[in-house]
Amino acid sequence: SRAINFSLTEAELRQRCKLHEVGISAIEGLPKGGTRLVCLTSRGAEIMRRRYPKEIIDRPQTRHPHFVSALQK
């Protein structure tokens, strides 16, 4: 999966992705702390998993509800 939850802030995660040249498809803060990262490629996700295994949140996380426009209803 290209999606990973980390116990890092969004700024920290953006900095680390830039350092390792990992493209970001989506990034969002989690309600109970941490950040959900979706990498552009599975290779990028694997790089982040190998580099930062201790910062990965393994347990299920609740995400913020997203805005749905009236046109999508």
Side-chain angles (χ1 to χ4, degrees):
S1 171
R2 295 179 301 123
I4 315 162
N5 295 329
F6 285 96
S7 61
L8 301 166
T9 66
E10 185 175 331
E12 290 170 324
L13 208 44
R14 283 185 186 277
Q15 182 180 29
R16 292 177 189 204
C17 284
K18 185 176 180 177
L19 175 69
H20 301 293
E21 298 179 350
V22 172
I24 298 171
S25 176
I27 192 165
E28 64 179 291
L30 297 169
K32 293 184 178 180
T35 306
R36 175 182 171 84
L37 169 69
V38 181
C39 298
L40 281 176
T41 65
S42 55
R43 180 185 166 277
E46 186 57 34
I47 288 169
M48 296 303 286
R49 283 188 183 92
R50 275 187 280 133
R51 296 280 183 168
Y52 306 105
K54 292 181 181 178
E55 288 85 0
I56 293 175
I57 302 172
D58 286 332
R59 61 194 179 282
Q61 294 293 304
T62 303
R63 294 169 59 196
H64 289 288
H66 291 281
F67 173 78
V68 178
S69 75
L71 297 175
Q72 292 175 320
K73 292 182 182 179

